[in-house]
Amino acid sequence: MPGVGEMEAAAAELNAQQAVGAVANALEKLVARNDLVTAATIAEEGGGKGRGVAAFRGLRRPAISIEKYMERIHSYSLCSPACFVVAFVYVDRAVHRRPDLLVGSLNVHRLMLTSVMVASKFFDVMAQSNAFYAKVGGVSNAELNNLEIELLCLLDFNVNVSSHEFESYLSHLEKEMLASKTHPNFANHSGIGGQQNYV
Amino acid sequence: MEKYDKLEKVGEGTYGKVYKARDKVTGQLVALKKTRLEMDEEGIPPTTLREISLLQMLSQSIYVVRLLRVEHVEKNGKRLLYLVFEYLDTDLKKYIDTYKRGPNPRPLPSRVTQSFLYQLCKGVDHCHSHGVLHRDLKPQNLLVDKDKGILKVADLGLGRAFTIPLKSYTHEIVTLWYRAPEVLLGATHYSIGVDMWSVGCIFAEMARRQPLFAGDSELQQLLHIFRFLGTPNEDTWPGVSSLRDWHDYPQWKPQSMALALPMLESDGIDLLSKMLEYNPSNRISAKDAMEHPYFDSLDKSQF
């Protein structure tokens, strides 16, 4: 099968810190940008109990950064580092299918918790239960079950990721990371906004 | 689920019941596979998750069972997931049984064996060309339409996309009787060969009307295989002695496949021997199997 060899190498070499760092970096930029857009509307709506896109929105911004949150998920669940990249793919797919899904500081934690869990269930040989992820992520088991089905409906159950897709997302995330390190002041202007194929 | 009339329960899976039902509007027969979701620590079972997403990718082949839609319903506060499949009246195991038991036991017509094996190879090739290993091919997982003579691959719950091998595969796959020797010997990386081994076992089972290797433990399973095909060694299967669970086994010489399976003519024996090749990298692929002379007498234009 073409690409399987390289894929294996890329997925196996990926270390958790790099994967979490790169995904967090891309998400933080996205959240910062979207929060400016949504600041006006959020205050008017409730959070947490909705259906569809609204289900992921919390009432207040969690104190923990998205990077620390993902580190926490990884250290407890021991999912493959590649699951963070795959989770980013899911969020990107969801955003493309549902333009009303704005990834912001009120929903990014729940989106990533659910996405990482689903990625691990799909790709890892052994995955932790929803109950486990709920405890680690600080939501109830019932809510996470609900978020799981909402995410899958947003994705139309399309949770497979080809090696080609994985590679191109990974290299995009790594480039973004590099750009942020070398030009921190321009971080908000580089990449994501201009790259139509990604978040 | 008011759209469907449930007609009868046709099976019970690990995660819920399977019903034969009729679409009230179109009259189409469907199989409803119900999965309970509420109040569950596990959430959506990984097998359901994989089955849905893999079937959505594979369902366009007529040799893979068609997932018509996924219905997510709430009833009395309980959340249920229904997978709506096309309905086929039987499976290959039951089909073989009708020739084995009953008032008139007789071999399967060789044309049927040939046609079913070809359709099985088509379905398996379709999975493999989309980067999916089935990993649990067995007669119970092959659905059959008796009247039309159609066979379809089903039950992709253990299916695995081999596009992103994140960690080594589990070897807890495939019902023992259809499990490839490399899996039995603890290989951590395996590929399309595991499915082709199962295809070979199913081919022989259609010819014999009983399983080829019916072991009741992993060791017994290996010994059944070795007794028939000869104990493998570094000459017949380079690398076999470095597999995790390799031991020194009794030494058997290969038996004559033609004598053991007199109902198969020489082309059939040749194809079977290529499917039951020890070395997984030399085992015939589904695509190549479809070009084998065994199928020369089959009218392929109908597929």
Side-chain angles (χ1 to χ4, degrees), chain B residues 244-264:
Chain B
R244 193 191 65 198
D245 297 334
W246 175 259
H247 299 285
D248 283 324
Y249 295 99
Q251 294 299 306
W252 282 290
K253 296 233 178 313
Q255 288 180 35
S256 158
M257 240 183 235
L259 284 179
L261 293 148
M263 57 299 273
L264 283 182

Side-chain angles (χ1 to χ4, degrees), chain A residues 59-70:
Chain A
L59 284 170
R60 57 191 76 80
R61 183 193 170 122
I64 186 170
S65 74
I66 187 64
E67 179 160 18
K68 287 268 175 286
Y69 191 64
M70 289 196 289

Side-chain angles (χ1 to χ4, degrees), chain A residues 1 7-8 51 78 80 82 121-125 130-131 141 145-146 148-149 152 156-157 160-161 163, chain B residues 40-44 49-50 52-53 56-57 72 74 79 160-164 166-168 170 189:
Chain A
M1 293 295 138
M7 180 66 245
E8 201 161 354
R51 279 288 144 81
L78 294 174
S80 308
K121 252 190 211 186
F122 188 75
F123 286 104
D124 282 339
V125 171
N130 287 24
N141 194 173
N145 285 1
N146 181 41
E148 178 179 47
I149 188 82
L152 291 169
D156 197 20
F157 285 90
N160 193 24
V161 175
S163 44
Chain B
D40 187 355
E41 297 211 334
E42 196 193 4
I44 295 195
L49 189 61
R50 291 190 194 118
I52 297 173
S53 64
Q56 282 191 331
M57 190 164 66
H72 171 218
E74 278 190 63
R79 312 191 80 177
R160 204 67 161 172
F162 56 98
T163 46
I164 304 189
L166 302 179
K167 287 179 181 167
S168 55
T170 168
H189 287 83

